[in-house]
Amino acid sequence: MRKRLWKQMILLGISGMMILGTSGCGDSSKAADSGQVTEQGTSEVPDESPAPVSPEDTEGTEQAEPSSGPSDSDAGMDSSRSVSRKEGDEDLVGDIKELGDGQFTVVAAITEELDEGVLMIASPGPDGDDSDFDHVTVIYDEDTDIYIRTIYGNGERYEDADASAEDLSKDSMVLVWGSYGDDGTTLHADQIQIEKFVR
């Protein structure tokens, strides 16, 4: 009788342990995916950030230099051209008097530097007597860089925009860079800046 009771107690104990074992188990694959559950019931997500790299680890490998693209805002410009434009020391300043095919005539202004950085420009103006001023024929082609410089206020800021020969017009003020012919009255233009003033 005692042996029988002892066997039944052992069987009950084993079956109880099996019941407790199965009821306490969950889906172990889900637990592994979602992280471990702490005592407070919050989930700790495994840290997937890259390990810090020491200088010794990068020896012998090429590293990309940070790109510093062209910034036209430093010069007050808004231009889509990637080439650098000349500034100052222009070969001709004046107003367009006549337009032709691939060329135009400029009434050259007289420039005089009053103070450092301050220029006085004298020109006859529209419909004025230009007999005392030089006339220069400007020749351009498809390689000539033509652009409009819009100047705001009293020169506080300006913006550059690409242009074409169609934007050249009579009485427009232009600054021209290039090389003069042997006659001294013909200028082969590399760069033409059309001035536009906005108050």
Side-chain angles (χ1 to χ4, degrees), residues 74-164:
D74 295 340
M77 299 192 314
D78 179 18
S79 173
S80 60
R81 289 182 66 89
S82 59
V83 298
S84 59
R85 290 183 166 129
K86 301 172 187 176
E87 289 288 339
D89 294 329
E90 54 275 352
D91 297 295
L92 176 64
V93 178
D95 298 323
I96 297 176
K97 183 177 178 70
E98 294 176 6
L99 290 166
D101 186 19
Q103 66 180 32
F104 56 89
T105 303
V106 172
V107 177
I110 299 170
T111 60
E112 182 182 343
E113 188 170 350
L114 299 178
D115 293 317
E116 189 174 334
V118 179
L119 281 178
M120 182 188 75
I121 299 176
S123 63
D127 303 326
D129 181 13
D130 57 16
S131 57
D132 292 334
F133 294 84
D134 292 334
H135 292 68
V136 178
T137 301
V138 177
I139 298 173
Y140 61 89
D141 55 26
E142 63 274 1
D143 294 327
T144 304
D145 178 19
I146 303 174
Y147 63 99
I148 298 172
R149 173 163 290 182
T150 304
I151 301 171
Y152 297 92
N154 295 320
E156 298 161 0
R157 67 182 183 92
Y158 64 84
E159 293 175 355
D160 287 349
D162 291 341
S164 67

Coordinates of all heavy atoms in Angstrom, one line a residue, residues 74-164:
D74 N 28.5 83.2 -51.3 CA 29.6 84.0 -50.6 C 29.9 85.2 -51.4 O 30.3 86.2 -50.9 CB 30.9 83.1 -50.5 CG 30.7 81.9 -49.6 OD1 29.7 82.0 -48.8 OD2 31.4 81.0 -49.6
A75 N 29.8 85.1 -52.8 CA 30.1 86.3 -53.6 C 28.8 87.0 -54.0 O 28.8 88.0 -54.7 CB 30.7 85.8 -54.9
G76 N 27.7 86.6 -53.4 CA 26.4 87.3 -53.7 C 25.9 86.9 -55.0 O 25.0 87.7 -55.6
M77 N 26.3 85.8 -55.6 CA 25.9 85.4 -56.9 C 24.9 84.3 -56.9 O 25.0 83.4 -56.0 CB 27.1 85.1 -57.8 CG 28.1 86.2 -57.9 SD 29.3 86.0 -59.2 CE 29.8 84.3 -58.9
D78 N 24.1 84.2 -57.9 CA 23.2 83.0 -58.1 C 23.4 82.6 -59.6 O 22.7 83.0 -60.4 CB 21.8 83.4 -57.8 CG 20.9 82.2 -58.0 OD1 21.4 81.1 -58.0 OD2 19.7 82.4 -58.1
S79 N 24.4 81.8 -59.8 CA 24.7 81.4 -61.2 C 24.8 79.9 -61.4 O 25.2 79.2 -60.5 CB 26.1 82.0 -61.6 OG 26.5 81.6 -62.8
S80 N 24.3 79.5 -62.6 CA 24.3 78.0 -62.8 C 25.5 77.6 -63.5 O 25.7 76.4 -63.7 CB 23.0 77.7 -63.6 OG 23.1 78.3 -64.9
R81 N 26.4 78.5 -63.9 CA 27.7 78.1 -64.6 C 28.7 77.6 -63.6 O 28.8 78.1 -62.5 CB 28.2 79.3 -65.4 CG 27.4 79.7 -66.6 CD 28.0 80.8 -67.3 NE 29.3 80.4 -67.9 CZ 29.4 79.9 -69.1 NH1 28.4 79.8 -69.9 NH2 30.6 79.6 -69.6
S82 N 29.4 76.5 -64.0 CA 30.4 76.0 -63.2 C 31.8 76.7 -63.4 O 32.7 76.6 -62.6 CB 30.6 74.5 -63.4 OG 30.9 74.3 -64.8
V83 N 31.9 77.4 -64.5 CA 33.2 78.1 -64.8 C 33.3 79.4 -63.9 O 32.3 80.0 -63.6 CB 33.3 78.5 -66.2 CG1 33.4 77.2 -67.1 CG2 32.3 79.4 -66.7
S84 N 34.5 79.8 -63.6 CA 34.7 81.0 -62.8 C 34.7 82.2 -63.8 O 35.3 82.1 -64.8 CB 35.9 80.9 -62.0 OG 37.1 80.8 -62.8
R85 N 34.0 83.2 -63.4 CA 34.0 84.4 -64.2 C 35.0 85.4 -63.7 O 35.3 85.5 -62.6 CB 32.6 85.0 -64.2 CG 31.5 84.2 -64.9 CD 30.2 84.8 -64.9 NE 29.3 84.1 -65.9 CZ 28.1 83.6 -65.6 NH1 27.6 83.8 -64.4 NH2 27.4 83.0 -66.5
K86 N 35.4 86.3 -64.7 CA 36.4 87.3 -64.3 C 35.7 88.4 -63.6 O 34.6 88.7 -63.8 CB 37.1 87.9 -65.6 CG 37.8 86.8 -66.4 CD 38.2 87.4 -67.8 CE 38.8 86.3 -68.7 NZ 39.1 86.8 -70.0
E87 N 36.4 89.0 -62.6 CA 35.9 90.1 -61.9 C 36.9 91.3 -61.9 O 38.1 91.0 -61.6 CB 35.6 89.7 -60.4 CG 34.5 88.8 -60.2 CD 33.1 89.5 -60.4 OE1 33.0 90.7 -60.3 OE2 32.1 88.7 -60.7
G88 N 36.5 92.4 -62.3 CA 37.4 93.6 -62.4 C 38.3 93.5 -63.6 O 38.4 92.5 -64.3
D89 N 39.0 94.6 -63.8 CA 40.0 94.7 -64.9 C 39.3 94.4 -66.2 O 39.9 93.8 -67.1 CB 41.2 93.8 -64.7 CG 42.0 94.2 -63.5 OD1 42.1 95.4 -63.2 OD2 42.6 93.3 -62.8
E90 N 38.1 94.8 -66.4 CA 37.4 94.6 -67.7 C 38.1 95.4 -68.8 O 38.7 96.5 -68.5 CB 35.9 95.0 -67.6 CG 35.6 96.4 -67.1 CD 35.6 96.4 -65.5 OE1 35.7 95.4 -64.9 OE2 35.5 97.6 -65.0
D91 N 38.0 95.0 -70.0 CA 38.6 95.6 -71.1 C 37.8 96.7 -71.7 O 38.3 97.6 -72.5 CB 39.0 94.6 -72.2 CG 40.0 93.6 -71.7 OD1 41.1 94.0 -71.4 OD2 39.6 92.4 -71.6
L92 N 36.5 96.7 -71.4 CA 35.6 97.7 -72.0 C 34.4 97.9 -71.1 O 33.8 96.9 -70.6 CB 35.1 97.3 -73.4 CG 34.1 98.2 -74.1 CD1 34.7 99.6 -74.4 CD2 33.6 97.6 -75.4
V93 N 34.0 99.2 -70.8 CA 32.7 99.5 -70.1 C 32.0 100.5 -71.0 O 32.6 101.5 -71.4 CB 33.0 100.0 -68.7 CG1 31.7 100.4 -68.0 CG2 33.8 99.1 -67.9
G94 N 30.7 100.3 -71.2 CA 30.0 101.3 -72.0 C 28.6 100.8 -72.3 O 28.1 99.8 -71.8
D95 N 27.9 101.6 -73.1 CA 26.5 101.4 -73.5 C 26.5 100.9 -75.0 O 27.2 101.4 -75.8 CB 25.7 102.6 -73.3 CG 25.7 103.1 -71.9 OD1 25.6 102.3 -71.0 OD2 25.7 104.3 -71.7
I96 N 25.6 100.0 -75.2 CA 25.4 99.5 -76.6 C 24.7 100.5 -77.4 O 23.7 101.0 -77.1 CB 24.6 98.1 -76.6 CG1 25.4 97.1 -75.8 CG2 24.4 97.7 -78.0 CD1 24.6 95.7 -75.7
K97 N 25.4 100.9 -78.6 CA 24.8 101.9 -79.5 C 24.1 101.2 -80.6 O 23.0 101.6 -81.0 CB 25.9 102.8 -80.0 CG 25.4 103.9 -80.9 CD 26.5 104.8 -81.3 CE 26.0 105.9 -82.2 NZ 25.1 106.9 -81.6
E98 N 24.7 100.2 -81.2 CA 24.1 99.5 -82.4 C 24.3 98.0 -82.2 O 25.3 97.5 -81.7 CB 24.7 99.9 -83.7 CG 24.5 101.4 -84.0 CD 25.2 101.8 -85.3 OE1 25.8 100.9 -85.9 OE2 25.2 103.0 -85.6
L99 N 23.3 97.2 -82.7 CA 23.4 95.8 -82.7 C 23.5 95.2 -84.1 O 22.9 95.7 -85.0 CB 22.1 95.2 -82.0 CG 22.0 95.4 -80.5 CD1 20.6 95.1 -80.1 CD2 23.0 94.5 -79.7
G100 N 24.4 94.2 -84.2 CA 24.5 93.5 -85.5 C 24.6 92.0 -85.3 O 24.3 91.5 -84.2
D101 N 24.9 91.3 -86.4 CA 24.9 89.8 -86.3 C 26.3 89.4 -85.8 O 27.3 89.5 -86.5 CB 24.7 89.3 -87.7 CG 24.6 87.8 -87.7 OD1 24.3 87.2 -86.6 OD2 24.7 87.1 -88.8
G102 N 26.3 88.9 -84.6 CA 27.5 88.4 -84.0 C 28.4 89.6 -83.5 O 29.6 89.3 -83.1
Q103 N 27.9 90.8 -83.5 CA 28.7 91.9 -83.0 C 27.7 93.1 -82.6 O 26.6 93.1 -82.9 CB 29.6 92.4 -84.1 CG 28.9 93.0 -85.3 CD 29.9 93.4 -86.4 OE1 31.0 92.8 -86.5 NE2 29.5 94.5 -87.1
F104 N 28.3 94.0 -81.9 CA 27.6 95.2 -81.5 C 28.6 96.3 -81.2 O 29.8 96.1 -81.0 CB 26.7 95.0 -80.3 CG 27.4 94.5 -79.1 CD1 27.9 95.3 -78.1 CD2 27.4 93.1 -78.8 CE1 28.5 94.8 -77.0 CE2 28.0 92.6 -77.7 CZ 28.6 93.5 -76.8
T105 N 28.1 97.6 -81.3 CA 29.0 98.7 -81.1 C 28.7 99.3 -79.8 O 27.6 99.5 -79.4 CB 28.8 99.8 -82.2 OG1 29.0 99.2 -83.5 CG2 29.7 101.0 -82.0
V106 N 29.8 99.6 -79.0 CA 29.7 100.2 -77.7 C 30.3 101.6 -77.7 O 31.4 101.8 -78.2 CB 30.4 99.3 -76.7 CG1 30.5 99.9 -75.3 CG2 29.7 97.9 -76.5
V107 N 29.6 102.5 -77.1 CA 30.2 103.8 -76.8 C 30.9 103.6 -75.5 O 30.3 103.5 -74.4 CB 29.1 104.9 -76.7 CG1 29.7 106.2 -76.3 CG2 28.3 105.0 -78.0
A108 N 32.2 103.7 -75.5 CA 33.0 103.4 -74.3 C 32.9 104.5 -73.3 O 33.0 105.7 -73.6 CB 34.5 103.2 -74.7
A109 N 32.6 104.1 -72.1 CA 32.6 105.1 -71.0 C 34.0 105.5 -70.5 O 34.9 104.7 -70.7 CB 31.7 104.5 -69.8
I110 N 34.0 106.6 -69.9 CA 35.3 107.1 -69.3 C 35.3 106.8 -67.9 O 34.4 107.2 -67.1 CB 35.5 108.6 -69.6 CG1 35.6 108.9 -71.1 CG2 36.8 109.1 -68.9 CD1 35.6 110.4 -71.4
T111 N 36.2 106.0 -67.4 CA 36.2 105.6 -66.0 C 37.4 106.2 -65.3 O 38.5 106.3 -65.8 CB 36.3 104.0 -65.8 OG1 37.5 103.6 -66.5 CG2 35.1 103.4 -66.5
E112 N 37.1 106.6 -64.1 CA 38.2 107.2 -63.2 C 38.0 106.8 -61.8 O 36.9 106.8 -61.3 CB 38.1 108.8 -63.3 CG 39.2 109.5 -62.6 CD 39.1 111.0 -62.6 OE1 38.4 111.5 -63.5 OE2 39.7 111.6 -61.8
E113 N 39.1 106.3 -61.2 CA 39.0 105.9 -59.8 C 39.2 107.0 -58.9 O 40.3 107.7 -58.9 CB 40.1 104.8 -59.6 CG 39.9 104.2 -58.2 CD 40.8 102.9 -58.0 OE1 41.4 102.5 -59.0 OE2 40.9 102.4 -56.9
L114 N 38.2 107.4 -58.1 CA 38.2 108.5 -57.2 C 38.9 108.1 -55.9 O 39.9 108.7 -55.5 CB 36.8 109.0 -56.9 CG 36.0 109.5 -58.1 CD1 34.6 109.9 -57.7 CD2 36.7 110.7 -58.8
D115 N 38.4 107.1 -55.2 CA 39.0 106.6 -54.0 C 39.2 105.1 -54.2 O 38.8 104.5 -55.3 CB 38.1 106.8 -52.8 CG 37.9 108.3 -52.5 OD1 39.0 109.0 -52.5 OD2 36.8 108.8 -52.2
E116 N 39.8 104.5 -53.3 CA 40.0 103.0 -53.4 C 38.6 102.3 -53.4 O 37.8 102.4 -52.5 CB 40.8 102.5 -52.2 CG 41.2 101.1 -52.3 CD 42.1 100.7 -51.2 OE1 42.8 101.5 -50.6 OE2 42.2 99.5 -50.9
G117 N 38.4 101.7 -54.6 CA 37.2 100.9 -54.8 C 36.0 101.7 -55.3 O 34.9 101.2 -55.5
V118 N 36.2 103.0 -55.5 CA 35.1 103.9 -56.0 C 35.5 104.4 -57.4 O 36.5 105.0 -57.6 CB 34.9 105.1 -55.0 CG1 33.8 106.0 -55.6 CG2 34.6 104.7 -53.6
L119 N 34.6 104.0 -58.3 CA 34.8 104.4 -59.7 C 33.8 105.4 -60.2 O 32.6 105.4 -59.8 CB 34.7 103.2 -60.6 CG 35.9 102.2 -60.7 CD1 35.5 101.1 -61.6 CD2 37.1 102.9 -61.2
M120 N 34.3 106.4 -60.9 CA 33.4 107.4 -61.6 C 33.3 107.0 -63.0 O 34.3 106.8 -63.7 CB 33.9 108.8 -61.4 CG 32.9 109.8 -62.1 SD 33.6 111.5 -62.1 CE 34.8 111.3 -63.4
I121 N 32.1 106.7 -63.5 CA 31.9 106.4 -64.9 C 31.1 107.5 -65.6 O 30.0 107.9 -65.2 CB 31.1 105.0 -65.0 CG1 31.9 103.9 -64.3 CG2 30.8 104.7 -66.5 CD1 31.1 102.6 -64.3
A122 N 31.7 108.0 -66.7 CA 31.1 109.1 -67.5 C 30.8 108.5 -68.8 O 31.6 108.0 -69.5 CB 32.1 110.3 -67.6
S123 N 29.5 108.7 -69.2 CA 29.0 108.3 -70.5 C 28.0 109.3 -71.1 O 27.4 110.0 -70.3 CB 28.4 106.9 -70.4 OG 27.3 106.9 -69.6
P124 N 27.8 109.3 -72.4 CA 26.9 110.3 -72.9 C 25.5 110.1 -72.6 O 24.7 111.0 -72.6 CB 27.2 110.2 -74.4 CG 27.7 108.9 -74.6 CD 28.5 108.5 -73.4
G125 N 25.1 108.9 -72.3 CA 23.7 108.6 -72.0 C 22.9 108.4 -73.2 O 23.4 108.8 -74.3
P126 N 21.7 107.9 -73.1 CA 20.9 107.7 -74.3 C 20.6 109.1 -75.0 O 20.3 110.1 -74.4 CB 19.6 107.2 -73.8 CG 19.9 106.7 -72.4 CD 21.0 107.5 -71.9
D127 N 20.7 109.1 -76.3 CA 20.4 110.3 -77.2 C 21.3 111.4 -76.9 O 21.1 112.6 -77.3 CB 18.9 110.7 -77.0 CG 17.9 109.6 -77.3 OD1 18.2 108.8 -78.2 OD2 16.9 109.6 -76.6
G128 N 22.4 111.2 -76.2 CA 23.4 112.2 -75.9 C 24.5 112.3 -77.0 O 24.6 111.4 -77.8
D129 N 25.2 113.4 -77.0 CA 26.3 113.5 -78.0 C 27.5 112.6 -77.6 O 28.1 112.8 -76.5 CB 26.7 115.0 -78.0 CG 27.8 115.2 -79.1 OD1 28.1 114.3 -79.9 OD2 28.5 116.3 -79.0
D130 N 27.8 111.6 -78.4 CA 28.9 110.7 -78.1 C 30.1 110.9 -79.0 O 30.9 110.0 -79.1 CB 28.4 109.3 -78.2 CG 27.8 108.9 -79.6 OD1 28.1 109.7 -80.5 OD2 27.1 107.9 -79.7
S131 N 30.2 112.1 -79.6 CA 31.3 112.3 -80.5 C 32.7 112.3 -79.8 O 33.7 112.1 -80.4 CB 31.1 113.6 -81.3 OG 31.0 114.7 -80.4
D132 N 32.7 112.6 -78.5 CA 33.9 112.7 -77.7 C 34.3 111.4 -77.1 O 35.3 111.3 -76.4 CB 33.8 113.8 -76.6 CG 33.7 115.2 -77.2 OD1 34.2 115.4 -78.3 OD2 33.2 116.1 -76.5
F133 N 33.5 110.4 -77.3 CA 33.7 109.1 -76.7 C 34.2 108.1 -77.8 O 33.8 108.2 -79.0 CB 32.5 108.5 -76.0 CG 32.1 109.4 -74.9 CD1 31.3 110.5 -75.0 CD2 32.4 109.0 -73.6 CE1 30.9 111.3 -73.9 CE2 32.0 109.7 -72.5 CZ 31.3 110.9 -72.6
D134 N 35.0 107.1 -77.4 CA 35.5 106.1 -78.3 C 34.3 105.1 -78.6 O 33.4 104.8 -77.8 CB 36.6 105.3 -77.7 CG 37.9 106.1 -77.5 OD1 38.1 107.0 -78.3 OD2 38.7 105.8 -76.6
H135 N 34.3 104.6 -79.9 CA 33.4 103.6 -80.3 C 34.1 102.3 -80.6 O 35.1 102.3 -81.3 CB 32.6 104.0 -81.6 CG 31.7 105.2 -81.3 ND1 32.2 106.5 -81.0 CD2 30.4 105.3 -81.4 CE1 31.2 107.3 -80.9 NE2 30.0 106.6 -81.1
V136 N 33.7 101.2 -79.9 CA 34.4 99.9 -80.0 C 33.4 98.9 -80.6 O 32.2 98.8 -80.1 CB 34.9 99.5 -78.7 CG1 35.6 98.1 -78.8 CG2 35.9 100.5 -78.1
T137 N 33.8 98.1 -81.6 CA 33.0 97.0 -82.1 C 33.4 95.7 -81.3 O 34.5 95.3 -81.3 CB 33.3 96.8 -83.6 OG1 33.0 98.0 -84.3 CG2 32.5 95.6 -84.1
V138 N 32.4 95.2 -80.7 CA 32.6 93.9 -79.9 C 32.1 92.7 -80.7 O 30.9 92.7 -81.2 CB 31.8 94.0 -78.6 CG1 31.9 92.7 -77.8 CG2 32.3 95.2 -77.7
I139 N 33.0 91.8 -80.9 CA 32.6 90.6 -81.7 C 32.5 89.4 -80.7 O 33.4 89.2 -79.8 CB 33.7 90.3 -82.7 CG1 33.8 91.4 -83.7 CG2 33.4 89.0 -83.4 CD1 34.9 91.3 -84.7
Y140 N 31.5 88.6 -80.8 CA 31.2 87.5 -79.9 C 30.8 86.3 -80.7 O 30.4 86.4 -81.9 CB 30.2 87.8 -78.9 CG 28.8 88.1 -79.5 CD1 27.9 87.1 -79.7 CD2 28.5 89.4 -79.8 CE1 26.6 87.4 -80.3 CE2 27.2 89.7 -80.3 CZ 26.3 88.7 -80.5 OH 25.1 89.0 -81.1
D141 N 30.9 85.1 -80.1 CA 30.5 83.8 -80.8 C 29.8 82.9 -79.7 O 29.6 83.4 -78.6 CB 31.6 83.1 -81.5 CG 32.8 82.9 -80.6 OD1 32.6 82.7 -79.3 OD2 34.0 82.8 -81.0
E142 N 29.6 81.7 -80.1 CA 28.9 80.7 -79.2 C 29.7 80.4 -77.9 O 29.2 79.9 -76.9 CB 28.5 79.5 -79.9 CG 29.7 78.6 -80.4 CD 30.2 79.0 -81.8 OE1 29.6 80.0 -82.4 OE2 31.1 78.4 -82.3
D143 N 31.0 80.6 -78.0 CA 31.9 80.4 -76.8 C 32.0 81.5 -75.8 O 32.5 81.4 -74.8 CB 33.3 80.0 -77.3 CG 33.3 78.7 -78.1 OD1 32.5 77.8 -77.7 OD2 34.2 78.6 -79.0
T144 N 31.4 82.7 -76.2 CA 31.4 83.8 -75.4 C 30.5 83.7 -74.2 O 29.3 83.3 -74.4 CB 31.1 85.1 -76.1 OG1 32.0 85.3 -77.3 CG2 31.2 86.4 -75.3
D145 N 30.9 83.9 -73.0 CA 30.1 83.8 -71.8 C 29.3 85.1 -71.6 O 29.9 86.1 -71.3 CB 31.0 83.5 -70.6 CG 30.2 83.5 -69.3 OD1 28.9 83.3 -69.3 OD2 30.8 83.6 -68.2
I146 N 28.0 85.0 -71.9 CA 27.1 86.2 -71.7 C 26.2 86.0 -70.6 O 25.6 84.9 -70.4 CB 26.3 86.4 -73.0 CG1 27.2 86.6 -74.2 CG2 25.4 87.6 -72.9 CD1 26.5 86.7 -75.6
Y147 N 26.1 86.9 -69.7 CA 25.2 86.8 -68.5 C 24.7 88.2 -68.1 O 25.3 89.2 -68.4 CB 26.0 86.1 -67.3 CG 27.2 86.8 -66.8 CD1 27.1 87.6 -65.6 CD2 28.4 86.8 -67.4 CE1 28.2 88.3 -65.1 CE2 29.5 87.4 -67.0 CZ 29.4 88.2 -65.8 OH 30.5 88.8 -65.3
I148 N 23.7 88.1 -67.3 CA 23.1 89.4 -66.8 C 23.4 89.5 -65.3 O 23.2 88.5 -64.5 CB 21.5 89.4 -67.0 CG1 21.2 89.3 -68.5 CG2 20.9 90.6 -66.3 CD1 19.7 89.1 -68.7
R149 N 23.9 90.6 -64.9 CA 24.1 90.9 -63.4 C 23.1 91.9 -63.0 O 23.0 93.0 -63.4 CB 25.5 91.4 -63.2 CG 25.7 91.8 -61.7 CD 27.2 92.0 -61.4 NE 27.8 90.7 -61.4 CZ 29.1 90.5 -61.0 NH1 29.9 91.5 -60.7 NH2 29.6 89.2 -61.0
T150 N 22.2 91.4 -62.1 CA 21.1 92.3 -61.5 C 21.7 92.8 -60.2 O 22.0 92.1 -59.3 CB 19.8 91.5 -61.3 OG1 19.4 90.9 -62.6 CG2 18.7 92.4 -60.8
I151 N 21.7 94.1 -60.2 CA 22.3 94.8 -59.0 C 21.1 95.5 -58.2 O 20.4 96.2 -58.8 CB 23.4 95.9 -59.4 CG1 24.5 95.2 -60.2 CG2 23.9 96.6 -58.2 CD1 25.4 96.1 -60.9
Y152 N 21.0 95.2 -57.0 CA 19.9 95.7 -56.1 C 20.4 96.8 -55.3 O 21.5 96.8 -54.7 CB 19.4 94.6 -55.3 CG 18.8 93.4 -56.0 CD1 19.6 92.3 -56.4 CD2 17.5 93.5 -56.4 CE1 19.0 91.3 -57.1 CE2 16.9 92.4 -57.2 CZ 17.7 91.3 -57.5 OH 17.2 90.3 -58.2
G153 N 19.5 97.8 -55.1 CA 19.8 98.9 -54.2 C 21.0 99.7 -54.7 O 21.1 100.0 -55.9
N154 N 21.8 100.1 -53.9 CA 23.0 100.8 -54.2 C 24.2 99.9 -54.3 O 25.3 100.2 -53.8 CB 23.3 102.0 -53.2 CG 22.2 103.0 -53.2 OD1 21.7 103.3 -54.3 ND2 21.8 103.5 -52.1
G155 N 24.0 98.7 -54.9 CA 25.1 97.8 -55.0 C 25.3 96.9 -53.7 O 26.3 96.3 -53.5
E156 N 24.2 96.9 -52.9 CA 24.3 96.1 -51.7 C 24.5 94.6 -52.0 O 25.2 93.9 -51.3 CB 23.1 96.3 -50.8 CG 22.9 97.7 -50.4 CD 21.5 98.0 -49.9 OE1 20.6 97.1 -50.0 OE2 21.2 99.2 -49.5
R157 N 23.8 94.1 -53.0 CA 23.9 92.7 -53.4 C 23.6 92.6 -54.9 O 23.0 93.5 -55.5 CB 23.0 91.8 -52.6 CG 21.5 92.0 -52.9 CD 20.7 91.1 -52.0 NE 19.3 91.2 -52.3 CZ 18.6 90.5 -53.2 NH1 19.3 89.5 -53.8 NH2 17.3 90.7 -53.4
Y158 N 24.0 91.5 -55.5 CA 23.7 91.3 -56.9 C 23.5 89.8 -57.2 O 23.9 88.9 -56.4 CB 24.8 91.8 -57.8 CG 26.2 91.2 -57.6 CD1 26.5 90.0 -58.3 CD2 27.1 91.7 -56.8 CE1 27.7 89.4 -58.1 CE2 28.4 91.1 -56.6 CZ 28.6 89.9 -57.3 OH 29.9 89.3 -57.2
E159 N 22.9 89.5 -58.3 CA 22.7 88.1 -58.7 C 23.1 88.0 -60.2 O 22.8 88.9 -61.0 CB 21.2 87.7 -58.6 CG 20.8 87.6 -57.1 CD 19.3 87.3 -57.0 OE1 18.6 87.3 -58.0 OE2 18.8 87.1 -55.9
D160 N 23.7 86.9 -60.5 CA 24.1 86.6 -61.9 C 23.2 85.6 -62.5 O 22.9 84.6 -61.8 CB 25.6 86.2 -62.0 CG 26.5 87.3 -61.8 OD1 26.1 88.5 -61.8 OD2 27.7 87.1 -61.7
A161 N 22.8 85.7 -63.8 CA 22.0 84.7 -64.4 C 22.5 84.6 -65.9 O 22.8 85.6 -66.5 CB 20.5 85.1 -64.4
D162 N 22.6 83.3 -66.3 CA 23.1 83.1 -67.7 C 22.2 83.7 -68.7 O 21.0 83.8 -68.5 CB 23.1 81.6 -68.0 CG 24.2 80.9 -67.2 OD1 25.1 81.6 -66.7 OD2 24.2 79.7 -67.0
A163 N 22.7 84.2 -69.8 CA 22.0 84.9 -70.8 C 22.5 84.5 -72.2 O 23.4 83.6 -72.3 CB 22.1 86.5 -70.6
S164 N 22.0 85.1 -73.2 CA 22.4 84.8 -74.6 C 22.5 86.1 -75.4 O 22.2 87.2 -74.8 CB 21.5 83.8 -75.2 OG 20.2 84.4 -75.4

